[in-house]
């Protein structure tokens, strides 16, 4: 039985919990738990940082003394960041600039789609087929390091990227039906 934590300081825990269960299917056994403390993080084999507001999340992580525990967790265990979570995992954040965990060699620009299209649903092509991708005030990944691998693009920009054990998506797969992103993440546990 593997345990996946979903950071639950802010943002949508419940949709990721359901998505994890659906991705695991019967048999394999994946338990999803809410993470609000370093002690809870220690019980996990992997962590999801959900969407939400990255500035608020960084502030709360600092207040709860979770920044260093998550950084050292990420040195050996997989982390998947969705949207605001992707911003937290990035090395450099702009528009506006803010601190981050820097666990992946990518640079992101926050709220980069502009007012007209700041939230939209798109069809996304990836190696396994096509999926629906929900973008909500999403960042754009402006630079991807040599070690990182782009798994899907949207309007010419990478939107699903992994680097070793870590993954980011700038869209919200937990809000759509396709479980490929969660399934691939579970494969890294
Ligand atoms: N716009 C948010 C931020 O910059 C991210 C939005 C999301 O996670 N859906 O933190």
């Amino acid at each position: 039985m593997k345990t996946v934590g979903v950071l639950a300081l802010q943002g949508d825990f419940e949709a990721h919990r359901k998505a994890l269960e659906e991705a695991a299917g019967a048999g394999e056994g994946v338990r999803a738990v809410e993470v609000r403390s370093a002690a809870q993080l220690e019980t996990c084999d992997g962590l999801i940082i959900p969407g939400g507001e990255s500035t608020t999340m960084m502030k709360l992580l600092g207040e709860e003394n979770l920044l260093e525990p998550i950084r050292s967790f990420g040195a050996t265990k997989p982390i998947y960041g969705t949207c605001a979570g992707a911003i937290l995992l990035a090395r450099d954040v702009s528009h506006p600039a803010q601190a981050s965990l820097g666990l992946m060699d990518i640079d992101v620009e926050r709220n980069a789609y502009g007012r007209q299209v700041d939230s939209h649903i798109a069809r996304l092509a990836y190696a396994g087929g096509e999926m629906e991708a929900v973008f909500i005030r999403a960042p754009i990944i402006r630079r991807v390091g040599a070690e990182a691998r782009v798994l899907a693009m949207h309007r010419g920009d990478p939107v699903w990227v992994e680097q070793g054990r870590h993954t980011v998506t700038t869209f919200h797969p937990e809000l759509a039906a396709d479980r490929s992103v969660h399934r691939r993440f579970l494969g890294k546990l």
Side-chain angles (χ1 to χ4, degrees):
M1 169 77 86
K2 297 281 187 184
T3 302
V4 177
V6 184
L7 188 67
L9 296 177
Q10 201 251 352
D12 189 0
F13 164 78
E14 183 56 23
H16 272 297
R17 188 192 59 74
K18 270 188 68 184
L20 283 168
E21 275 173 9
E22 288 168 13
E28 282 169 60
V30 166
R31 198 166 63 103
V33 297
E34 299 187 22
V35 168
R36 292 193 181 81
S37 68
Q40 288 166 331
L41 183 61
E42 266 174 38
T43 69
C44 300
D45 301 296
L47 179 71
I48 293 183
I49 305 180
E53 227 292 306
S54 58
T55 312
T56 310
M57 263 189 226
M58 275 307 283
K59 186 171 161 272
L60 294 173
L61 286 176
E63 287 172 11
E64 302 298 323
N65 293 317
L66 270 167
L67 288 169
E68 280 319 309
I70 291 179
R71 275 201 190 99
S72 49
F73 182 89
T76 56
K77 291 176 179 166
I79 302 182
Y80 161 41
T82 306
C83 200
I87 296 170
L88 262 58
L89 289 180
R91 201 193 66 179
D92 186 81
V93 180
S94 61
H95 192 236
Q98 68 185 21
S100 58
L101 294 163
L103 283 165
M104 279 180 68
D105 188 20
I106 58 170
D107 296 346
V108 300
E109 177 185 338
R110 298 176 59 201
N111 302 317
Y113 284 98
R115 283 238 178 98
Q116 295 292 316
V117 289
D118 74 355
S119 297
H120 57 285
I121 296 177
R123 299 292 308 169
L124 208 67
Y126 68 106
E130 258 200 9
M131 72 170 93
E132 198 175 66
V134 181
F135 292 88
I136 306 169
R137 294 180 57 74
I140 289 182
I141 298 170
R142 293 297 187 196
R143 189 192 60 85
V144 169
E147 303 290 301
R149 175 156 169 220
V150 176
L151 298 174
M153 310 264 292
H154 170 56
R155 295 183 182 165
D157 297 302
V159 293
W160 179 10
V161 176
E162 67 181 16
Q163 183 185 335
R165 67 183 77 82
H166 303 315
T167 308
V168 294
T169 62
T170 60
F171 58 97
H172 289 263
E174 79 281 9
L175 300 180
D178 191 299
R179 292 291 161 247
S180 304
V181 174
H182 288 81
R183 219 176 291 124
R184 190 172 173 99
F185 170 67
L186 289 177
K188 295 174 181 294
L189 297 182

